[in-house]
Amino acid sequence: MSNIQYLKGVGPAKAKLFERLEIHTVADLLHTYPRTYQDRRENAPNNGLNPPTLVVFKGRVLRAQTVPARSVLIFKAFLADEKNNQIECTWFKRRTFRNFRFDPFAALKKDFKINAEIWVIGHRENRNNFLDNKITVEEYYPVSSPESVWHAGRITPIYSLTEGLTNKQFRQFMHEALSAPDFQNEPDILPPSLIEKRHFISGRQALHAVHFPSGLSELENARARLAYEEFLLLATAWGIKRTQTKAIAKGYGYEIKKHLLTPFRQNLGFDFTNSQKKVINEIFADLQSQLPMNRLLQGDVGSGKTIVALSAILLAAENGYQSALMAPTEILAEQHYLTFQKILKKLKVPVAVLTSSTKAPERKKTLAGLADGSISIVVGTHALIQDDVKFKNLKLAVIDEQHRFGVKQRGKLKEKTARLDLLTMTATPIPRTLALAFYGDLAVSTLTELPPGRRPIQTRIADEFEANHFVAEEVKQGRQAYIVYPLIEESESISAKAVTEEFEKLQKVFPNFNLAMLHGQMSRSEKEQVMADFAAHKTDILVATPVIEVGIDVPNATVMVIQNAERFGLASLHQLRGRVGRGKFDSQCVLVAPHQGSISRERLRIICDTTDGFKIGERDMQLRGPGEILGTRQSGELEFKAGDLFKDRNILQWATEDRDELLREDPLLKKPEHAAFKARLLELYQNNWHLIDLS
């Protein structure tokens, strides 16, 4: 694979910019697909590709001039389009010392000669008046220039960039890459039988068309082919992993001794739901099996996943094994730690917590306890997978909110011991068919009911005055409330309210109540104190960021006010709503959403209409796509560049069907026609993630 710096026009300086985008080779560039497209054809139909303010036209220059101004330099060109409408095009430059020595508009003056034909791409200056013929120019291309065909007069790719790279440059480099030997030598990784079976275009055709499609039909054919390729690679990796996992005995077992489990159940003060009992039996059967457990536990907010996980952890402790619970945030890890301490206090099972905020002396003590086995249970964040964390006898790992972790993180945890039983949990329910596609090596358990006594939560939209009035009325009745804001500090680019500023205002709105503030930048001790005071009803109103999305359980809290609710996804709104409705009193979730768009209005309507987490998870995936729901871009897991797991469910079905047939016929992919596919599979999932072994 050729280094990107040797591609025509790139060089060492531009190569460093590409490195920021994780593009190191020409092949990396070829497989960096556009994030979106613009339809820059003449008289382009309204097909949803272009924002309403975008203007694309081919015009003839009538006149051009520099306009004097005090703080900026302005160049204006007046062009006539094909209907002879006059359009005023404007360029702005800041005044700098260099501007006084060199003419910043020299190139424009050269290109915009009278009667020259120019492609112009820009946005209307008056964005509220789409009939305005004044535009601010983003790109322009003389029609006579050979390179214009890659940027205008076609469906044009738009890429994710880094500072120092423009889309014009990116497209030019992509054109060079599509002419380079790397592209000409690009193997078609799909076996010919599958290409014929699914009527796909060739790999090289798909790669060229996804960057420079001749039309929407060719673009969709290319995207379908590339999506199928991604799905088939991952599905095959999981299929091989599942087979290999089942072939290796873990070499240890569990015996239900009940000297911890029985008092644990007796001290809970409530009985398990039938759903919890069923799931616990499934997990215990896995643990007692000769094969390592790989199970996904999904359940709605408040369905009792933590208690189920703790049952498995205590079974491990009964057998002298260590357990680790990994959570995505410090606030959730600390909440789990406090919950475990409270429940296990009488059982005298040693529990520790380990996060990046753990002080050096405490960290040293915890590391020693894990290494010598004196600590049975540790709760933590990514800090648990650091190299200096050693276990004496780790056998069970529980990963909470698993969609926020990637395969790499799960793999690092597994590296802590020779064999490991793994239970992953999510409170973001997803359709079962998609769950099986995401986690092909996992068995799936689902908690289908809430604990008895839970009262339904009413959800409604209100303005800020109504929300504050409702909070005051509930607190006067002896209840407590949450008020959640999306940001800690005010951002100039986002019109969302900041909890630090709003807290001061709310103290004046509620002068007779006790208020406290909670956000992720507070120290661990501060957060613990705030949560403890709220649980003890020393605080009436907790003003917070979404750090309270999971893990906090205060039965007396009956009101959840979510400010700027239009900025939250459905899953987050549902999680936040789940912080109330945990006691014997009626509860309300109040959504304050002053800046609603069409998608946010749809989200708010859905959250008001249903409390079914599975329906909400599916609708959220439809509205936002699986990337945001499952944290794929953050975690590095399932980074599909072409495919959409919800929209492309039929292609996903093809991929899983073909995977099964492929592995039945050739389990280790040894046939010559599978060589290119095997090489790509190993490149992705063995070298990077150590997920599979095909040796």
Side-chain angles (χ1 to χ4, degrees):
M1 292 184 290
S2 302
N3 191 299
I4 189 68
Q5 73 168 321
Y6 300 120
L7 186 68
K8 183 180 177 181
V10 177
K14 283 285 191 293
K16 289 183 178 179
L17 299 180
F18 277 116
E19 285 178 9
R20 297 181 195 168
L21 300 171
E22 298 187 2
I23 297 173
H24 306 281
T25 66
V26 174
D28 291 339
L29 180 63
L30 287 167
H31 289 279
T32 301
Y33 306 143
R35 64 175 175 82
T36 189
Y37 298 84
Q38 289 179 353
D39 194 340
R40 295 183 177 181
R41 297 173 295 182
E42 284 191 275
N43 304 313
N46 182 11
N47 51 27
L49 289 182
N50 297 343
T53 59
L54 185 72
V55 177
V56 179
F57 74 100
K58 183 168 62 175
R60 178 174 52 84
V61 179
L62 301 175
R63 65 185 187 279
Q65 64 191 61
T66 302
V67 180
R70 180 175 299 179
S71 58
V72 294
L73 299 171
I74 301 174
F75 182 83
K76 288 185 179 292
F78 297 84
L79 283 77
D81 66 11
E82 62 171 1
K83 296 180 180 178
N84 217 30
N85 297 315
Q86 183 172 294
I87 301 176
E88 180 182 320
C89 304
T90 307
W91 289 257
F92 297 92
K93 294 279 187 181
R94 287 188 302 169
R95 283 190 177 276
T96 64
F97 176 74
R98 182 178 175 84
N99 291 155
F100 287 103
R101 299 181 60 197
F102 304 99
D103 184 356
F105 297 129
L108 286 168
K109 291 176 180 177
K110 180 181 177 182
D111 290 331
F112 281 78
K113 300 289 188 184
I114 292 178
N115 289 327
E117 280 196 299
I118 310 284
W119 277 106
V120 179
I121 298 96
H123 285 272
R124 293 176 176 86
E125 289 185 14
N126 184 355
R127 300 195 174 199
N128 294 320
N129 180 2
F130 295 159
L131 298 178
D132 195 342
N133 280 352
K134 296 182 179 181
I135 71 169
T136 301
V137 179
E138 292 185 353
E139 300 174 39
Y140 78 91
Y141 303 96
V143 172
S144 60
S145 170
E147 70 174 25
S148 68
V149 297
W150 303 108
H151 310 289
R154 65 177 310 120
I155 294 175
T156 307
I158 307 295
Y159 297 91
S160 296
L161 303 171
T162 187
E163 187 176 358
L165 278 176
T166 66
N167 260 298
K168 178 180 179 180
Q169 292 170 326
F170 209 107
R171 286 190 289 269
Q172 192 62 44
F173 293 140
M174 191 63 73
H175 168 55
E176 295 295 339
L178 289 167
S179 304
D182 294 67
F183 175 70
Q184 303 304 324
N185 299 328
E186 176 88 7
D188 202 326
I189 68 168
L190 291 186
S193 59
L194 293 182
I195 296 175
E196 183 179 356
K197 177 182 178 181
R198 299 302 180 186
H199 306 290
F200 285 131
I201 58 177
S202 73
R204 277 197 289 274
Q205 282 178 298
L207 207 51
H208 192 286
V210 81
H211 294 294
F212 296 108
S214 60
L216 291 179
S217 177
E218 185 184 53
L219 174 58
E220 184 51 34
N221 287 338
R223 196 195 64 79
R225 153 70 201 241
L226 296 170
Y228 172 86
E229 199 170 283
E230 291 176 331
F231 294 160
L232 183 65
L233 283 163
L234 183 66
T236 303
W238 282 128
I240 293 169
K241 177 65 175 176
R242 182 168 59 241
T243 301
Q244 293 177 349
T245 298
K246 290 180 178 179
I248 303 173
K250 59 189 177 186
Y252 59 90
Y254 296 78
E255 182 183 346
I256 301 177
K257 302 178 180 179
K258 297 188 178 181
H259 68 267
L260 292 177
L261 286 168
T262 297
F264 161 65
R265 292 188 63 170
Q266 291 172 342
N267 294 337
L268 278 178
F270 57 84
D271 196 12
F272 293 141
T273 65
N274 290 330
S275 184
Q276 285 176 316
K277 292 175 184 176
K278 177 178 178 293
V279 169
I280 288 172
N281 286 335
E282 291 172 349
I283 293 170
F284 280 18
D286 280 357
L287 293 175
Q288 292 176 287
S289 167
Q290 294 182 352
L291 304 176
M293 176 174 72
N294 259 345
R295 185 166 289 274
L296 170 67
L297 170 59
Q298 60 177 5
D300 210 344
V301 176
S303 58
K305 294 181 298 298
T306 301
I307 294 299
V308 169
L310 190 50
S311 299
I313 288 170
L314 287 176
L315 177 58
E318 282 190 342
N319 286 270
Y321 303 144
Q322 291 174 301
S323 299
L325 187 151
M326 191 161 75
T329 64
E330 289 192 9
I331 192 82
L332 181 53
E334 289 155 4
Q335 186 63 30
H336 278 313
Y337 172 63
L338 294 175
T339 300
F340 283 14
Q341 273 194 322
K342 179 181 176 182
I343 294 175
L344 301 178
K345 186 175 182 180
K346 294 181 180 180
L347 300 182
K348 298 182 179 179
V349 179
V351 184
V353 63
L354 189 64
T355 70
S356 59
S357 298
T358 303
K359 302 296 183 185
E362 185 182 350
R363 178 182 174 81
K364 184 178 179 181
K365 182 180 177 182
T366 299
L367 292 181
L370 294 175
D372 65 23
S374 58
I375 294 176
S376 299
I377 305 168
V378 63
V379 180
T381 56
H382 288 81
L384 291 176
I385 60 177
Q386 300 303 309
D387 291 339
D388 61 345
V389 180
K390 310 292 184 185
F391 293 87
K392 182 180 181 180
N393 199 18
L394 177 66
K395 290 293 183 285
L396 174 64
V398 180
I399 298 182
D400 196 11
E401 292 302 300
Q402 60 75 34
H403 59 281
R404 304 190 191 186
F405 293 101
V407 172
K408 293 179 184 178
Q409 287 83 2
R410 300 211 300 260
K412 286 284 285 184
L413 194 55
K414 286 184 176 182
E415 289 174 7
K416 299 293 181 182
T417 184
R419 295 285 180 268
L420 188 67
D421 290 303
L422 181 64
L423 177 67
T424 59
M425 304 193 299
T426 178
T428 305
I430 55 180
R432 180 177 176 83
T433 53
L434 295 184
L436 292 172
F438 293 141
Y439 311 105
D441 67 334
L442 302 186
V444 180
S445 290
T446 303
L447 291 172
T448 56
E449 57 185 317
L450 297 178
R454 287 286 174 90
R455 301 179 72 86
I457 304 167
Q458 299 298 317
T459 305
R460 59 193 177 95
I461 300 171
D463 60 30
E464 192 164 10
F465 177 81
E466 292 174 302
N468 289 339
H469 176 75
F470 190 76
V471 168
E473 290 300 311
E474 283 292 295
V475 174
K476 286 176 184 177
Q477 298 295 319
R479 313 288 169 252
Q480 292 164 276
Y482 301 99
I483 301 179
V484 176
Y485 292 89
L487 296 176
I488 294 175
E489 296 178 352
E490 188 66 59
S491 165
E492 292 182 358
S493 62
I494 302 177
S495 60
K497 294 180 179 178
V499 66
T500 48
E501 295 184 4
E502 294 302 318
F503 181 71
E504 297 177 5
K505 298 177 185 177
L506 289 171
Q507 286 180 311
K508 297 175 182 177
V509 174
F510 303 109
N512 300 321
F513 302 141
N514 294 321
L515 279 71
M517 181 170 59
L518 181 68
H519 59 73
Q521 293 182 7
M522 297 167 66
S523 70
R524 175 182 157 195
S525 58
E526 289 174 326
K527 286 184 280 192
E528 285 184 359
Q529 188 60 56
V530 169
M531 289 189 295
D533 287 348
F534 191 64
H537 202 171
K538 294 179 181 178
T539 304
D540 298 309
I541 302 171
L542 183 59
V543 184
T545 59
V547 294
I548 66 160
E549 184 178 311
V550 286
I552 292 181
D553 187 357
V554 179
N556 193 52
T558 58
V559 185
M560 168 62 69
V561 175
I562 305 175
Q563 293 281 353
N564 291 108
E566 74 279 2
R567 297 203 174 275
F568 292 85
L570 271 172
S572 291
L573 291 172
H574 185 53
Q575 290 273 21
L576 288 168
R577 175 170 61 184
R579 295 309 101 204
V580 296
R582 292 172 170 260
K584 59 184 179 180
F585 307 105
D586 290 335
S587 295
Q588 296 272 344
C589 178
V590 184
L591 309 175
V592 181
H595 306 290
Q596 297 179 42
S598 58
I599 293 180
S600 59
R601 273 196 298 272
E602 176 69 6
R603 280 203 297 267
L604 298 181
R605 184 190 65 77
I606 293 165
I607 204 73
C608 289
D609 288 349
T610 182
T611 57
D612 186 323
F614 287 87
K615 290 181 181 177
I616 289 169
E618 184 160 345
R619 290 296 290 124
D620 208 15
M621 194 173 294
Q622 282 180 300
L623 289 171
R624 297 198 298 156
E628 292 183 65
I629 305 297
L630 297 172
T632 63
R633 295 299 179 258
Q634 291 75 24
S635 70
E637 180 177 9
L638 306 178
E639 292 194 35
F640 297 128
K641 298 176 182 179
D644 182 314
L645 280 163
F646 194 90
K647 295 177 183 176
D648 298 326
R649 282 179 291 183
N650 62 321
I651 300 176
L652 176 62
Q653 184 66 34
W654 294 348
T656 53
E657 289 173 1
D658 294 346
R659 179 273 313 273
D660 293 341
E661 184 177 339
L662 187 69
L663 294 181
R664 274 196 303 270
E665 295 177 358
D666 190 9
L668 294 178
L669 303 177
K670 291 184 176 181
K671 292 183 178 180
E673 60 266 33
H674 299 153
F677 182 77
K678 179 178 179 178
R680 182 65 174 152
L681 192 69
L682 291 175
E683 179 187 346
L684 286 175
Y685 299 117
Q686 182 183 57
N687 299 342
N688 292 346
W689 293 349
H690 306 288
L691 183 63
I692 59 174
D693 181 9
L694 285 174
S695 57

